[in-house]
Amino acid sequence: LGCEKSIEILEKPVCPICERQAVGGKTHPGCSRKYSLDGLIVASKYRGSMRKAIGNIKYKWQYDIAKILVGILCENIWKFDFPKDAILVPIPLHENRKKWRGFNQSEIFSKILAKKFNVGFADLLVRSIETKSQVGLSKKERSSNVLSAFSIQQDQVKQIKGKNIILVDDVYTSGATMKEACMVLKRAGAASVWGMAITIG
Ligand SMILES: [Zn+2]
């Protein structure tokens, strides 16, 4: 990772909608909508060596770097007031992209985190549409780019009703991807949906 000291820790939890300070990372009541995220767990800013580490890991899985990134999240987890019986659900990659890359970094992060926090893991979502890369898109373009990109694995619908779910991704950028995945899960009856990301950009 080079220099861990240059990682900027997010001192105070933020609301996933307005990204302003929020107690425990819970969505402000005034920001909350029917299908919106209930909170956000994120520990660092997507800058400097964090940006580099995430960039590297996307194309070649590096376990030692991943361990450091997960460690940063774990050290800061006490700041967040999320449901302790939640299931971790990774943001999926489209099948083609996963095949090309060989792995889904969010899936591996979820599995490591589930073990660490002793909570459940379930691969519930499918990326039905191959979306363009979010890089270089405006906030509005990002939202329409991921619109209806997700669906639920048919045999998994039962697993969602009444459950508390935490969506896991590597980077939270405008939240467009997570918000779309959240909507799909809430429509299927999830009791609550939080987001969890290593870093926020
Ligand atoms: Zn807010």
Side-chain angles (χ1 to χ4, degrees):
L1 205 57
C3 183
E4 281 172 57
K5 280 185 191 126
S6 72
I7 288 174
E8 282 181 68
I9 299 297
L10 197 72
E11 294 303 336
K12 303 260 168 66
V14 296
C15 163
I17 313 301
C18 67
E19 294 182 25
R20 291 197 186 101
Q21 202 177 309
V23 179
K26 282 186 178 171
T27 303
H28 297 125
C31 291
S32 179
R33 300 286 177 272
K34 193 173 178 190
Y35 294 126
S36 60
L37 285 164
D38 296 286
L40 179 66
I41 302 159
V42 67
S44 68
K45 292 181 190 161
Y46 189 50
R47 286 190 204 141
S49 32
M50 180 52 82
R51 201 186 173 104
K52 226 168 153 183
I54 292 283
N56 288 340
I57 231 167
K58 239 180 189 140
Y59 299 100
K60 184 172 173 280
W61 184 254
Q62 290 160 293
Y63 193 74
D64 47 342
I65 292 182
K67 243 167 75 178
I68 294 169
L69 301 186
V70 166
I72 293 166
L73 199 55
C74 292
E75 275 167 33
N76 289 279
I77 201 76
W78 59 272
K79 296 176 184 167
F80 302 93
D81 190 13
F82 58 97
K84 296 299 178 291
D85 59 348
I87 312 165
L88 301 189
V89 174
I91 293 289
L93 285 178
H94 188 272
E95 204 53 43
N96 291 349
R97 202 180 294 181
K98 189 176 169 182
K99 247 182 224 154
W100 174 76
R101 201 182 281 174
F103 64 92
N104 172 8
Q105 73 280 9
S106 301
E107 189 184 319
I108 310 179
F109 276 130
S110 309
K111 284 181 182 164
I112 301 174
L113 289 161
K115 224 179 223 171
K116 208 139 191 159
F117 298 133
N118 196 26
V119 293
F121 163 88
D123 201 4
L124 299 176
L125 294 169
V126 184
R127 199 152 197 149
S128 31
I129 300 166
E130 200 170 3
T131 48
K132 288 181 285 184
S133 166
Q134 296 281 69
V135 175
L137 298 182
S138 70
K139 197 163 179 170
K140 203 172 168 190
E141 286 168 332
R142 281 173 193 268
S143 298
S144 60
N145 189 31
V146 293
L147 209 63
S148 317
F150 300 103
S151 54
I152 292 163
Q153 308 240 29
Q154 268 320 303
D155 53 336
Q156 308 275 27
V157 176
K158 270 193 303 227
Q159 277 213 62
I160 295 166
K161 222 174 176 109
K163 294 284 167 57
N164 296 313
I165 290 169
I166 299 178
L167 285 165
V168 180
D169 208 352
D170 49 358
V171 189
Y172 188 86
T173 314
S174 84
T177 307
M178 250 189 222
K179 284 167 191 167
E180 184 60 30
C182 168
M183 194 180 288
V184 170
L185 291 168
K186 285 209 163 173
R187 281 193 179 134
S192 75
V193 181
W194 275 62
M196 182 189 263
I198 302 288
T199 181
I200 186 165

